[in-house]
Amino acid sequence: MPGVVNLNMAAVIIVEKDFDLSKCLPDSAMPEFYMEDYSVMGLKTRSLPQALNIIENHRFIIVKHKSYYKIKIENAADVLHILNLLGQNNVDAEYTDLIDHVYQG
């Protein structure tokens, strides 16, 4: 249905390259028990305002959280599409683990 936003859509986090990544952790549902490293995958860029503008102009929905943004996506292919859009517009971005400081040793 046009104009209707599915609030249960998947989302990918996007942050500035030097963002304090620990700020993403409180909103993440970390499992009580896990066997491997804990990860939250997302996008990092050195040009966040420009990246957000490009993404919004291609009709992706961006939701601002307290200290970062989430891009609503329909499927995993949307992440590749977003990375391609940014690259075509000379915006450096990478899809990477945003929570690199949680480890079970």
Side-chain angles (χ1 to χ4, degrees):
M1 188 180 241
V4 175
V5 176
N6 178 357
L7 297 177
N8 295 318
M9 289 175 69
V12 63
I13 294 171
I14 185 168
V15 295
E16 191 74 42
K17 190 84 163 181
D18 298 325
F19 178 73
D20 177 3
L21 299 172
S22 66
K23 293 180 180 179
C24 293
L25 188 58
D27 290 341
S28 300
M30 191 166 169
E32 189 171 333
F33 298 102
Y34 57 97
M35 299 301 295
E36 300 290 331
D37 294 347
Y38 178 74
S39 296
V40 174
M41 299 301 292
L43 299 169
K44 288 185 191 178
T45 180
R46 292 198 188 282
S47 308
L48 186 59
Q50 185 180 4
L52 293 173
N53 188 42
I54 292 165
I55 293 164
E56 278 186 322
N57 286 337
H58 284 85
R59 303 207 190 317
F60 284 96
I61 297 168
I62 297 175
V63 178
K64 181 166 181 8
H65 286 261
K66 294 176 188 169
S67 56
Y68 59 91
Y69 296 86
K70 284 188 176 181
I71 307 163
K72 296 291 185 173
I73 59 172
E74 291 184 18
N75 53 53
D78 282 346
V79 175
L80 183 57
H81 181 67
I82 291 166
L83 284 169
N84 286 334
L85 284 172
L86 296 176
Q88 290 167 2
N89 288 279
N90 299 314
V91 174
D92 180 43
E94 66 178 324
Y95 185 67
T96 187
D97 185 2
L98 300 178
I99 307 295
D100 60 0
H101 59 279
V102 177
Y103 175 75
Q104 174 180 323

